[in-house]
Structures are given as C-alpha cells and as structure tokens.
Amino acid sequence: MDNFKVYNPTSLFFGRNVIEKLNSCIDETGKRILLIYGQGSVKKNGVYDAVRKQIEMAGATVFEYSGIKSNPVYTDVDAAADMAKKNNVDLIIALGGGSVIDSAKMTALTACVNHSSWEFFIRKTTVEKALPLICVLTLAATGSEMNPYAVIQNDAVGQKLSYGHPLIFPKYAFLDPSYTISVPYNYTAYGIADVVAHALEAYFGKGQADLTDNIVVEIIKESIHKGQMLLNDLNNYELRADIMLAATMALNGITMYGRSFGDWGTHSIGHVLSSLYGLPHGASLTIAFPAWMKLHKNKLDKQIAVLGKKVFNSNSAEDTIYEFEGFFKKIKTPTRLYDFVPQFDKDNIIIELSKNKVNGNYHNISESDYKVLVELMTAH
Ligand code: NZQ
Ligand code: ZN
C-alpha cells in the first residue's frame, strides 16, 4: 500500500427533492450569484426553474452565463469570469454536467485574478482564492461534483488539459437522480463508460490496497450491471440513482486510498481525440481504453487478468480486454475511431499525441507507442 492523503470538503446532498435545501446554502454563502449552465437542456426539464425558485427564496441577485459547450472552452470561462467581476459576484452556481461544472470551477478562480483562465492550465500560477461554488448536477459521469479537477479545451492551440486545486472543490453539491432522467441514451452510455474508465485509471495507478481494489471492482460491476439495465429503462429513478452514486464514488478520492496516484494515460489519449474530432468524453475513452490495455497487456497481464476474473469471471488478460470491449459495444459506445469519425488522418493523430506529450502517470507511453495506439484504435 502506498502513502496517501484524504481531503474532501464538499458537502453532498443526494436524493429526490434535495434541491429544497439549496436556498439555505445560498443564504450562508453569497448574495450575488453567477448561474452558469449549458445549451438549454436545463430549461426543457424543469431543473432551471427549480434552481431559480431557490435563488429567489434566498433573496439573492442572479446573473446568468449560458451556452457552455460539451468539451468546454476557456474563452467561455474568461467571458463568465468577466461577467462575475463586473457584477461583483460572490457565489457561482453550476447547473449541468461535467462541462458546466468544470467551467464554473475555473470561473471561480479566474474571477479572482487578472489573467485568462488558460494560464492556469499552461503554467504554475499562484492561486490564493476562488469564489465559492455550488453545483447542481444533471448528468452522472465525471465526478466533478465532488472533486478538485477541471478539464478545459483551447481550440486555437488544439489542447484539452486538466487542472486541479483544492480551492475548486465545490462547497455544496446537489444530486437529485430525477434530474438525470432526461439525459438521452447516448450521453447516459458515455457517462457509464466514463465511470468505468475512472475506476480503471485508479486500478492501474501506483499502489494497491485490497479493500480499495474491491471498491474499484464493485464500481465497475455496478456500472456494467445497472448501466445496462438503465439503458433499457431510462426513466427508472432507482437505476439513475445507482449510476449517479457510482459516478461520484469513482472520482471523489475513495478509489485512491492506498495509492499515490492514478494512471490517467487513457484520459490523456481521449482528450486528444476529443480535441481533434469533438468526440464526447466517454466516447473517446471507449476507443482509447481497449487500445491502452492491448498496448500494456504483456506488462500488466496479471493485473488485467485478476480484474477480469473478479468483474467478468474471465480467465486471461486477453479475455478481459475482449469483455470490456464487448460491454462498450453492447451499450453502443464506439470502440474504434471510425465508429464515430468518418474520416481521420492517422499521422495527424500521432503528431497530436506527441505534441500533447500524452502519457500515463505510472505506465509510460513512448513515442513509438503512439503509432501502435493509433493502429489499435483504428483496426478493423
Ligand atoms: O448543454 P446542455 O443543453 O445542458 O446539454 C448537455 C450536453 O449536450 C446534456 N445534458 C446534461 N444534462 C442533461 C443533458 N441533457 C438532457 N438532460 C439532462 N439532465 O448532455 C451533454 C453532455 O454534457 P457534458 O456536461 O458535456 O457531459 P459530461 O458530464 O460527461 O462532462 C464531460 C466533460 O467533463 C470532463 C470531460 O473531459 C468533458 O469535458 N471531465 C471532467 C472531469 C473532472 N472535472 O473531474 C473528469 C472526467 O474524466 C472528464 O475529463
Ligand atoms: Zn473521465
């Protein structure tokens, strides 16, 4: 077991109608709110109205920044931060999925400095404060609601990078599974795939503790089992709740107990695919993970086989990879690039992997591995 540190200050409200507690949390946190949301789903499913009602009950003043894109961009963060500064905002509320929450986290930081949000991603800036952040989650996937990370894209330079700082843990997070019932089949499946991928990134990280590995295994089994049931029954509250809980647990720190860090090589590959081809995050991972496991199969033979035995009752690393791929196909997420992108340039992908220095924290991906990965991700 490796040394590890536990810190998670987010207060989480989970379940039906927990939004009713939002007004008292606003009351104690801020009076001038910037409400950030995406491209309109929250207005169709009633969630926006519920949040506005709570803001009104708290007697707070609200400004809005909407239009956050899936695979969010730093220019939106900068514009939201300008709006926050101009209006002396003292609290940010994120209403949406991971893209909105990540944008809100970076807005909370950028509103306290005089430079672009992208600076946080490309150089070590001193971070002294952030505005407090409350999240109302509408999509189960990233775990952003209870962690200190944000992932943002810069289209001008073709990079999608992640940033982490304890100051961007949400202060409060509201998770009502009924708010995720309107998520369509495809994004529900991408979310489930993301949860599995987060558990795998932890499993392949540095350090090992049997109890934590069992938590990882249970998160994967739950996501596979309940995930498939949910995809056949999208309106089922209990199944939405099961996946929402799995998503939060997969990246709130608990899978890292006994490890010093996760690997995250597959996410690094996925971010390049998203940046190049606009692939939804979960879809990029179901292409990248089977290829990553095949690349490292010899080195990780035993570890993959042990996992496969527990998750699928499979008998070898090869069978385990086959089972993961089979699961992704069953839930209709892409396992090869051509499943999603009609035309691509293999050489360009290799260049971008290299330019972005794609690598794992623990399992090295060399320059020569990039070509192998691209062949695996595009193999027929
Ligand atoms: O923009 P709107 O109209 O809201 O539509 C969104 C979007 O089109 C829609 N949606 C969200 N909630 C809905 C809904 N549609 C109907 N009903 C609802 N209740 O779903 C689409 C996808 O939303 P998005 O927020 O992009 O998805 P997700 O939650 O998967 O977030 C993905 C982003 O998070 C990053 C990814 O890289 C990606 O940029 N990640 C963040 C992490 C973190 N902060 O810890 C870790 C992850 O590994 C990941 O990298
Ligand atoms: Zn992810």
Side-chain angles (χ1 to χ4, degrees):
M1 191 185 295
D2 272 27
N3 294 2
F4 64 103
K5 177 185 173 184
V6 173
Y7 175 69
N8 197 315
T10 302
S11 295
L12 193 97
F13 295 80
F14 192 104
R16 228 187 265 279
N17 300 326
V18 287
I19 201 71
E20 287 165 10
K21 302 270 187 297
L22 175 60
N23 71 82
S24 56
C25 294
I26 292 172
D27 208 30
E28 71 171 61
T29 316
K31 278 289 168 205
R32 294 176 70 79
I33 297 169
L34 181 63
L35 176 64
I36 302 182
Y37 54 95
Q39 312 240 334
S41 69
V42 296
K43 289 206 169 167
K44 290 186 202 134
N45 58 16
V47 183
Y48 171 86
D49 291 338
V51 169
R52 285 295 302 224
K53 185 175 161 205
Q54 292 295 311
I55 293 172
E56 206 174 295
M57 283 168 73
T61 303
V62 63
F63 306 89
E64 293 193 2
Y65 189 92
S66 63
I68 299 295
K69 301 166 191 68
S70 200
N71 293 324
V73 291
Y74 84 98
T75 44
D76 272 326
V77 174
D78 286 357
D82 282 347
M83 189 183 257
K85 283 184 208 166
K86 206 169 81 193
N87 294 294
N88 292 320
V89 159
D90 56 9
L91 167 63
I92 310 280
I93 298 184
L95 173 57
S99 296
V100 168
I101 297 177
D102 288 2
S103 301
K105 285 175 170 176
M106 296 314 296
T107 302
L109 279 179
T110 310
C112 301
V113 295
N114 288 318
H115 58 72
S116 163
S117 59
W118 192 246
E119 301 284 308
F120 290 111
F121 293 89
I122 55 170
R123 68 177 167 88
K124 287 197 175 75
T125 51
T126 319
V127 176
E128 281 163 12
K129 59 176 178 168
L131 295 178
L133 169 67
I134 297 179
C135 295
V136 180
L137 183 66
T138 64
L139 196 165
T142 64
S144 185
E145 64 276 8
M146 202 180 181
N147 74 38
Y149 312 116
V151 188
I152 299 288
Q153 194 160 307
N154 180 335
D155 290 335
V157 295
Q159 283 187 303
K160 185 174 187 191
L161 300 177
S162 64
Y163 178 80
H165 195 282
L167 280 174
I168 57 173
F169 270 109
K171 185 170 165 64
Y172 297 105
F174 290 84
L175 277 65
D176 183 337
S178 61
Y179 288 0
T180 66
I181 282 176
S182 55
V183 178
Y185 182 102
N186 59 353
Y187 273 102
T188 303
Y190 301 149
I192 292 164
D194 197 18
V195 179
V196 171
H198 293 166
L200 290 173
E201 296 281 22
Y203 180 76
F204 292 114
K206 183 172 181 299
Q208 183 252 345
D210 289 346
L211 179 60
T212 308
D213 279 354
N214 286 335
I215 292 171
V216 163
V217 166
E218 290 307 321
I219 290 172
I220 296 173
K221 284 169 75 173
E222 177 87 347
S223 305
I224 289 177
H225 178 57
K226 300 280 179 55
Q228 287 177 100
M229 289 168 69
L230 172 59
L231 288 167
N232 287 319
D233 189 6
L234 290 172
N235 294 330
N236 188 313
Y237 174 90
E238 290 301 329
L239 293 170
R240 288 282 184 189
D242 289 334
I243 293 300
M244 200 170 206
L245 179 58
T248 301
M249 285 181 68
L251 199 51
N252 69 354
I254 198 168
T255 61
M256 295 303 298
Y257 292 12
R259 310 186 213 279
S260 32
F261 43 78
D263 186 67
W264 299 100
T266 304
H267 271 67
S268 187
I269 301 164
H271 293 334
V272 166
L273 299 181
S274 290
S275 174
L276 272 174
Y277 302 112
L279 272 161
H281 176 62
S284 75
L285 298 173
T286 55
I287 295 168
F289 236 118
W292 182 92
M293 283 202 257
K294 286 171 195 167
L295 176 76
H296 289 301
K297 191 176 91 52
N298 288 343
K299 184 177 152 197
L300 298 176
D301 192 73
K302 188 161 171 242
Q303 211 184 344
I304 297 173
V306 167
L307 178 71
K309 187 80 198 161
K310 290 181 183 170
V311 173
F312 302 110
N313 199 25
S314 58
N315 289 319
S316 66
E318 205 164 28
D319 286 353
T320 304
I321 298 168
Y322 181 78
E323 291 283 356
F324 273 113
E325 230 175 60
F327 167 65
F328 295 144
K329 281 182 188 155
K330 234 185 261 173
I331 65 169
K332 300 191 182 78
T333 56
T335 55
R336 296 293 185 277
L337 198 52
Y338 52 73
D339 291 336
F340 205 95
V341 184
Q343 277 186 322
F344 48 82
D345 177 346
K346 289 187 193 180
D347 290 337
N348 193 34
I349 303 172
I350 295 168
I351 290 168
E352 289 299 316
L353 291 169
S354 174
K355 191 183 97 187
N356 282 281
K357 299 187 177 66
V358 161
N359 207 351
N361 290 327
Y362 192 34
H363 301 294
N364 197 41
I365 303 175
S366 67
E367 285 280 330
S368 58
D369 289 339
Y370 294 149
K371 189 170 172 3
V372 180
L373 277 171
V374 170
E375 289 305 328
L376 289 166
M377 292 191 292
T378 58
H380 281 278

